[in-house]
Every structure is written in structure tokens, then in C-alpha cells.
Amino acid sequence: MTTSDRMDSFDRVNSFDGVIGPTIAESVPSWPIRPHPGADAPNVVVILLDDTGFAHLGCYGSTISTPNIDRLAADGLRYTNFHVTALCSPTRAALLTGRNHHSVGMRSLANFNTGYPNMRGHISNHAATIAELLRDEGYATFAVGKWHLVQMEDASAAGPYEQWPTQRGFDRFYGFLDGETDQFHPELTYDNHRIDPPDTPGYHLTEDLVDHAIGFMHDSKSIRPDRPFFLYLATGATHAPHQAPPEYLAKYRGVFDEGWDVARDAWFARQREMGLVPPQTQLPPRNPGVQEWTGMPETHRRLASRLQEAFAAFLDHTDAQIGRLVEAITRLGELDNTLIFLLSDNGASQEGGQLGVLHEWKYFNFLTESPEAAMARLDDIGGPNSHANYPWGWAQAGNTPFKWYKQNTHEGGVHVPLIVHWPARIPAGDRGGLRDQFHHVNDLAPTIYDLLGVTTPPVYRGYEQLPVTGTAMTYTLPGGTAPDGGQAPTRKLVQYFEMMGHRGIYADGWKAVTRHVPGAAYEDDAWELYHVETDRSECVNLAEVEPGRLAALVELWWSEAREHGVLPLDDRSIELFGGADLALATQVSRGLAGLAGAGALTRSGTYHSPHPADRHYVYRPPMSPIPVQAGPRINGRPWDLDATIDRPARAEGVLYATGNQNSGLSLFIQDDRLIFDYNCFGDHYLAESELAVPAGRSVVGVRFRRTAAGGEATLVINGAECGQVGFPFVMLIISSIGPSVGFDHGSPVSTRYASPFAFTGQLERVDVQIRTPGRDDALTAQARESMSRQ
């Protein structure tokens, strides 16, 4: 290769189109042109609420106070026939990619990777996100709040980081990576590292998130006022735990004492007055398991009212923070040219159970909570000492006028509010208008691309791209391609639904839908047929009247399923969090499987994880807190923990803790004694060593075992057993807050100390050994006993 050839190669690699001569006098400089979307390009803001039903916002019928969201609706457009998937991670994946959730690897929660292309626990690299494409167009891109689009096993400080927000197109990130977090003591990630929340009086996560969203906008616009931004704000609200500042809780005290029947009737009447539902729409009966309010015991009504108050306070407080965000955009002079979408990720949640819970994790542990027992703790609801979720009756009210809930493919799970606000595009005469076209969350990305003139590439960063399958909604906006966007027929003709075996298909105003029972044969599912163009609440089942139409829709569902990667159908959910032991407990609780089936499931390798059942973990502090699914899989299993310490006299503190003040476990030294606190949803079972922990180097620990009566923990100092405690129940899922080594991050697991209670001696290492139980252990004995009663 000649010198000239090498110089030409150098210029091509560096994209240089000037002239390089022997000296600068004989050369011509050239500067690469940074992408810029144009002077008139709008900012784009997506505000994604969590578990907020169709009727929860004031502008969609509720009596809960949401004045700032209502103002966006009054100055924008409300979509009355907008749909999502029935669960959080899948909706987020569809929203950010413009594809169906199965196609991009997000059949269910990001916490799972089942070994099939439809459930990888992250968005496929073959589906570029809105942030990736807009950043390449010159946008500043910010993600704030809930991510839940990375396998949680990959969400620790060890990574890998390739599916974290800043690796999927966002310049900045501030929020939490998992599906939920405590609003007063959240687990926070800033860009690519974990941080503690600010230590400020009255701290609440939603305020913190909006503070950082405003800060990101100010950082960008102060330095580059010409550069538009894309902000994706995904609040933790209104997902459990329902937690709000005291003044918001006080505002709703007694407001819902008339009950969910009265509220549902009132909210439905408001929806009809607002024109949010077709005139023929009926209010369906209560869902199975929802009781008539006036027929319930007083204690049940008092608990349910207080739980609904906490939800309303949480939503009201969130609305105030959204108002602060909009005000900040206004002060920047950017509101007129900012396109805002506000929506929810799915319908209201059924995860509070029939009666509601102070501790939602009881739902995931198959435990019921007595309203009578909750009476003494009513004032804890909504504050830091509760992890509350409301009962089914209030969830159905939030989904008015629809049936069923989050997770289900009936309208209650998938039909949500959507508000579009854009003063520069929506003239005064059209503001406050309604749009009734059927649309789906996978339509938002193509709408943004169409409005901004972005062309989706066939290959992105070396990955061949899946086709964007959503339908642009641009025609529904004033000045769109339809002659009358408000009345134009929908261009979204077909959309399938599937979530954990629940299925549905929309086509040309008709919908076929089935509610699946986990473990049942799919061919036994009863399909229903509704003309949802007029019967929006799915009250008139036409399956027997039009069997031919139903059969054609069911066949269309299978065709769509094959095209979009839905198969294989998989109805597992909670059991995927914890492997075979939790799977067995799940099956036993449902009465679906005998021991032989559970054993076969255990041996099948279904639960692939970098954490094998008998793994030995070694932790060497100092180190960051660990996400639950990246930590030891101790849930429901026997395990040993040993801490190697070098301790000066009187040194104390936490050696290992996981969870928070609502549920968890902690091993710590205090007053020269080794202490183990098993916090089972606020009931504390403590073991305190009979022996003093010696000064100097020693190994201290705990042996955790299941028993026929529940479980027991034995304290060990230098090999000698020195204390024990039993407990009636072993938590299968402990908390969404993961372990910390050498301190207790967040709120304290034990009431014996204040966080972080860091160990003041030298903690050399912590060893955790998971013990593999045999099939004849207490778990199997309990399963046999339970199965004998089915």
C-alpha cells in the first residue's frame, strides 16, 4: 500500500472530506456535522403511570383529585379506546420499540428468562428504542423512574450493563431498575451506579424523580437551547406500595367510606356525561370475589376504605409532581412545542387480593391477612411501615366500566387512559376533544417517528431490525392526514393480546377473549365474543349467537401469535421468581400438581439461572447493595451464612441484611451479642446468642432450616451453636429490596437499630451456602399434606 493509499484510508475511517497537505497552509479543514433534528423539532415527553386504571383520573371519571393531569386533558386530547398489554414490562417494551412485546423478548416481567425468544427479560437488540433513534437524530434523551427492562440478575454493580437505560439510548438515567420500590426508602440508580436517596426530611421518591427530570432538562437547555429533548418519566406510582406524604393521606380520610359500589356507579355516571364510553355501554356485575359493600363486616369495610385512601393520596401526590414538571417546561418557554403523552402501563392491580393487604408481599407468599388483625395498624397504611395494596373491589372501581384487572386480557387489564398535549399542533378549538379510535401502546413509537420525520433503519448498530408493527396515530391529530381526525375510522384493524395464558384478539370492532386458569389445558379455555365497538365493557357475550365469527377470530389469534412470536404459550408467573421450591408451593396453592409433577419440573432445567440451587456465594465488603435476583436464592430454602470478622471490643453493626422494615432478615452484632432478626411482615422473630462475640478474629453465622412447623434459625460463633429461634412461616419471596453486606441500606429490617448500622469492626468476608433439600424434607411433607386435601 502506498503512502497515498494509506492517507485515503485514514480519511475514510475518520469521515474526513477536507484536504490534507504537507502543511496546514496547503490543507483544508473539515468538521463533522452533528445530527440535529431541525429548529422546529418538538420536545417529546412520555409520562407513564403504573397500575392506574381507566377511571382513576379525574378527567376519566374519578373523584380523586388530579387537577394537573386534568389540565393537560383540557388543553389536549383524551383517547377513549386506547390499549396496552396487561403487565408493566411488556407495555414498556412495546411503547419504546413500536413492536409487540413477545416479538422483542418481553412476554412477561423482565425478572424472567424462560429460554425462549419471547421471554428474554430485556428488549431485543433487533428492536431499537425510541431513545436510540432520537439520540441519533440529535435529541438529548433522559429516562427517569422505573426501568424494569433488564434481567434483574444483570442489575447489580457486576453488570453486564448492556440493557441498562444508558445502553439503550438514554443519555441520563435516574430511577430504579426493578418493578417496584419503597417510596420513602427506594433503591436508586444514577446513570450506571447505585446511590442512596437524599437524606432529607419528608423525602418521597416521586418528588425526587421530578426534581431530577427538571434538572436534566435544565442541564440540556441551559447549555444547548437549540437541542430538543426526549424525556421518559415512568413513575413508581400507582404501583404498590401505595405510600404518600401524611398531608395527602389526611386529605382523603373518610372520603371512600360509602364503598366501591357507590364509587363505581358515580364514576360510571361521570364517564357517560363526559362521553368517554358509547351510550350503549353497561356497567358489568362485580367481578367474582368482589363482595357487595354493604354486606361486608365493618372491619373489612374500614380496612378497604383506608387502603383506597392511600391509593388516592398516592395518585393525588403524583399529580402534583406532574404539575411541577409541566410548570418547569413552561418556565423554559418550551411547553407550546412539547409533545406530551400521558398513559398507564396496564389496568388497576388485583395483587392486593380479595380483602387488601398491609403487606403486598403476603399476596406473593400465598398468605391472607385478617382485617381484624389489621385494625391495630390502620394508621400505618400509606406510610413507611406498610407495603399496602387495595382489595379487588377498589381495583374494579378503578377499571370502571370494565371487567377484570391487570394481568387479564379483558378490558379491565388492557384499556387505559391516554392524554396527548401539544399546544403547537392542537389549536384552541380542538382542545379538550375526545378520540375514540382503537389504538395500542405499540402505536406510540411510530406516531413519534411520523411526527418527527424519523425513518427506522433496517439495520441498527449491526443488528437487523424487526419491522415496526405499530400504526401511527398522526391522522387523529388536528391537521393530520385524515380529513377529520376526530371522527376518522381507526387505522388499527387488528391487535392480539396475551398475558400468562390469558388471550384476546381485536379486529374491526369485535373482540374475542378468554380468561385462562393457570395449569389448565388451553383447549379448555372458554372464548367469549363481544362487539366492543358498542359494547365497550364486554357485557353481552355473543359467542353462542355468532359461533362462526368467534371461530374466525380465534383462528386469527393463532395466526397473529405465530407471526409475532407469542408461542409457546406459558402460564407461569410467580413461580418464576424463585425456582423449583416456589414453583412447587405455587402449584400446591393452586391445587394443580402432585409431587411427581413438581419433581419433574425441578429436574427439567426450566429455571435457568447463574445462581444454581447449591451455589456458594462469597462477598467481600465494601460493596454496593445487591438486587434481589442477583443475590443468594435463599427464599424458601435452607442455607448457611458465615461472616469472618476481626472485631475490636464493643464493635457492632450489621453483617448481612436483606429486605426492609416491612419484611426481611438481618444478622448483626449488638452489645457483644450476635442477633438474627427474621422480620416476617412486621412480626419479628429474634435469636440472641447466649455467648458473647469475642474480640479479635472469629467466624459468626446462622444456620437457617425449614421444619414441619415452619422454620428455625440457629446462631453459631466459631462453630458453637449458641442461640435459636423458630417461626411459623418461611417466606418464599422476602422483599423487593435486596441484600447489603456490612450495613443495612434503606429502612432497617430490625427494630433494634437505625439504618445503616454499619459494622464498626473489620468484616473480611461473608459466605452464604445454599443447601439443597431432598424431596423428603419438610417442604415435601407440607406439600403432600396440602395435596391430600385438594
Side-chain angles (χ1 to χ4, degrees):
M1 179 181 292
T2 66
T3 300
S4 177
D5 290 337
R6 285 195 293 270
M7 290 182 64
D8 289 344
S9 177
F10 175 83
D11 292 347
R12 286 195 302 271
V13 169
N14 288 279
S15 302
F16 182 74
D17 58 2
V19 175
I20 296 178
T23 68
I24 195 170
E26 300 164 273
S27 303
V28 178
S30 172
W31 288 269
I33 299 174
R34 289 182 174 179
H36 194 283
D40 297 328
N43 307 303
V44 180
V45 175
V46 174
I47 302 172
L48 183 63
L49 302 176
D50 202 327
D51 290 2
T52 306
F54 182 76
H56 271 141
L57 306 179
C59 53
Y60 278 82
S62 171
T63 51
I64 298 172
S65 179
T66 57
N68 295 288
I69 295 174
D70 297 349
R71 194 172 301 115
L72 289 176
D75 291 336
L77 301 172
R78 280 173 293 170
Y79 286 73
T80 63
N81 201 3
F82 187 78
H83 294 74
V84 290
T85 81
L87 206 60
C88 49
S89 297
T91 288
R92 291 157 209 274
L95 188 160
L96 289 173
T97 66
R99 285 94 166 172
N100 285 302
H101 58 293
H102 296 87
S103 301
V104 300
M106 201 64 69
R107 174 188 69 79
S108 183
L109 299 177
N111 306 74
F112 313 144
N113 180 354
T114 61
Y116 297 99
N118 65 7
M119 189 63 254
R120 292 302 189 191
H122 64 80
I123 294 173
S124 169
N125 291 322
H126 297 278
T129 68
I130 297 172
E132 287 172 320
L133 297 190
L134 293 197
R135 184 177 61 184
D136 287 0
E137 293 289 324
Y139 273 73
T141 56
F142 317 129
V144 178
K146 174 174 170 177
W147 182 239
H148 211 199
L149 291 171
V150 59
Q151 292 183 58
M152 291 311 298
E153 291 168 348
D154 296 344
S156 75
Y161 292 82
E162 62 216 30
Q163 298 298 333
W164 290 34
T166 54
Q167 280 68 41
R168 290 311 307 256
F170 290 100
D171 298 325
R172 306 300 309 276
F173 173 68
Y174 185 86
F176 56 103
L177 296 175
D178 208 342
E180 67 166 57
T181 195
D182 190 282
Q183 299 296 304
F184 298 111
H185 301 279
E187 291 194 302
L188 290 175
T189 297
Y190 203 153
D191 295 332
N192 283 334
H193 64 280
R194 188 207 165 272
I195 65 163
D196 291 322
D199 185 17
T200 55
Y203 174 88
H204 192 282
L205 175 60
T206 312
E207 298 175 15
D208 190 18
L209 296 179
V210 171
D211 285 346
H212 280 80
I214 294 171
F216 289 161
M217 294 188 304
H218 286 180
D219 286 345
S220 182
K221 284 295 184 178
S222 295
I223 308 302
R224 287 287 307 277
D226 63 312
R227 190 183 187 199
F229 60 81
F230 169 50
L231 169 64
Y232 171 59
L233 171 62
T235 65
T238 51
H239 193 293
H242 298 158
Q243 296 171 316
E247 62 271 24
Y248 284 87
L249 295 170
K251 176 179 177 178
Y252 286 94
R253 194 69 75 231
V255 169
F256 300 103
D257 286 354
E258 289 185 303
W260 49 61
D261 292 327
V262 170
R264 198 159 75 105
D265 287 342
W267 295 358
F268 181 52
R270 285 166 56 90
Q271 289 174 333
R272 295 180 66 136
E273 291 171 6
M274 294 177 181
L276 296 171
V277 293
Q280 309 94 316
T281 303
Q282 303 176 42
L283 190 64
R286 301 178 199 90
N287 292 331
V290 176
Q291 297 175 277
E292 181 181 0
W293 181 264
T294 56
M296 293 166 54
E298 181 184 356
T299 52
H300 292 211
R301 295 197 304 268
R302 287 179 63 195
L303 174 61
S305 295
R306 192 62 66 90
L307 292 168
Q308 171 66 6
E309 291 168 13
F311 174 89
F314 196 14
L315 178 57
D316 189 337
H317 176 254
T318 303
D319 175 82
Q321 310 320 307
I322 292 171
R324 287 203 303 122
L325 176 71
V326 174
E327 176 60 27
I329 297 172
T330 303
R331 288 198 306 269
L332 285 171
E334 297 285 341
L335 186 63
D336 280 354
N337 201 30
T338 297
L339 169 60
I340 299 175
F341 296 93
L342 185 146
L343 67 154
S344 175
D345 62 349
N346 45 247
S349 169
Q350 61 181 296
E351 289 147 11
Q354 184 178 17
L355 302 176
V357 287
L358 267 74
H359 296 289
E360 189 196 30
W361 288 105
K362 287 187 175 180
Y363 171 88
F364 295 108
N365 278 275
F366 315 106
L367 292 176
T368 56
E369 187 172 65
S370 162
E372 288 74 21
M375 287 299 101
R377 299 192 56 199
L378 283 183
D379 289 341
D380 285 342
I381 292 173
N385 292 316
S386 74
H387 193 109
N389 203 348
Y390 54 19
W392 291 341
W394 283 117
Q396 186 174 12
N399 289 331
T400 300
F402 307 128
K403 297 189 295 189
W404 299 111
Y405 317 98
K406 169 186 175 181
Q407 301 183 20
N408 305 129
T409 51
H410 283 78
E411 293 294 284
V414 299
H415 197 140
V416 300
L418 170 68
I419 296 168
V420 177
H421 182 275
W422 191 8
R425 179 66 180 265
I426 303 173
D430 289 299
R431 294 174 189 174
L434 303 178
R435 296 293 185 266
D436 195 50
Q437 295 93 342
F438 177 95
H439 274 286
H440 188 265
V441 67
N442 60 24
D443 300 332
L444 292 189
T447 301
I448 293 170
Y449 298 152
D450 191 33
L451 290 169
L452 272 55
V454 174
T455 301
T456 56
V459 177
Y460 184 79
R461 300 196 173 179
Y463 291 95
E464 182 180 352
Q465 294 293 285
L466 294 163
V468 172
T469 51
T471 302
M473 301 163 56
T474 316
Y475 71 97
T476 68
L477 297 174
T481 54
D484 183 352
Q487 303 300 321
T490 183
R491 297 180 181 178
K492 181 83 164 186
L493 302 180
V494 175
Q495 177 61 49
Y496 80 86
F497 299 90
E498 192 279 332
M499 189 57 61
M500 297 177 291
H502 305 301
R503 289 172 284 167
I505 182 86
Y506 168 90
D508 296 325
W510 290 81
K511 182 180 176 185
V513 62
T514 183
R515 185 171 178 270
H516 177 72
V517 176
Y522 293 104
E523 57 267 26
D524 293 338
D525 291 345
W527 284 88
E528 304 160 20
L529 176 66
Y530 301 101
H531 188 210
V532 290
E533 185 69 24
T534 55
D535 180 20
R536 200 62 54 85
S537 57
E538 300 170 323
C539 283
V540 183
N541 184 3
L542 300 173
E544 294 185 2
V545 177
E546 298 204 43
R549 185 186 298 273
L550 176 60
L553 283 172
V554 172
E555 180 54 39
L556 178 61
W557 185 91
W558 283 103
S559 175
E560 292 290 298
R562 287 186 287 268
E563 179 179 351
H564 296 286
V566 176
L567 307 178
L569 287 171
D570 188 345
D571 61 5
R572 293 169 300 166
S573 57
I574 297 174
E575 58 266 47
L576 290 174
F577 275 106
D581 290 337
L582 185 55
L584 175 57
T586 305
Q587 293 184 9
V588 167
S589 75
R590 294 170 175 165
L592 299 176
L595 292 175
L601 181 144
T602 303
R603 295 187 298 271
S604 70
T606 301
Y607 300 98
H608 173 77
S609 169
H611 304 271
D614 59 350
R615 176 174 166 180
H616 186 95
Y617 300 80
V618 180
Y619 298 119
R620 294 180 174 86
M623 58 183 295
S624 300
I626 309 167
V628 169
Q629 286 188 258
R633 296 299 178 91
I634 61 176
N635 39 312
R637 297 186 175 101
W639 48 273
D640 299 341
L641 184 148
D642 289 302
T644 304
I645 61 175
D646 193 347
R647 176 178 174 268
R650 308 300 297 171
E652 60 181 7
V654 171
L655 304 174
Y656 181 90
T658 187
N660 64 7
Q661 66 192 66
N662 293 310
S663 58
L665 57 89
S666 178
L667 181 69
F668 57 97
I669 297 172
Q670 190 175 62
D671 297 329
D672 290 336
R673 302 290 168 168
L674 181 65
I675 302 170
F676 179 73
D677 188 339
Y678 194 65
N679 177 355
C680 190
F681 309 111
D683 294 328
H684 292 262
Y685 301 90
L686 284 98
E688 185 166 344
S689 66
E690 301 158 358
L691 304 175
V693 180
R697 197 171 188 276
S698 60
V699 178
V700 301
V702 63
R703 307 289 181 258
F704 188 97
R705 298 292 183 267
R706 300 194 66 142
T707 66
E712 65 182 19
T714 303
L715 296 174
V716 179
I717 298 177
N718 291 326
E721 295 184 358
C722 55
Q724 190 174 79
V725 65
F727 25 87
F729 178 75
V730 172
M731 293 179 283
L732 298 172
I733 299 180
I734 298 173
S735 174
S736 61
I737 306 298
S740 43
V741 180
F743 64 103
D744 185 354
H745 78 288
S747 64
V749 170
S750 179
T751 57
R752 295 279 295 262
Y753 58 78
S755 290
F757 197 42
F759 184 57
T760 55
Q762 181 180 351
L763 177 58
E764 296 180 7
R765 58 187 281 170
V766 170
D767 291 68
V768 181
Q769 175 66 58
I770 309 299
R771 300 296 179 186
T772 305
R775 287 295 93 189
D776 292 327
D777 66 2
L779 174 64
T780 302
Q782 290 174 346
R784 284 200 186 99
E785 179 186 359
S786 182
M787 285 305 302
S788 70
R789 298 194 299 266
Q790 301 301 322

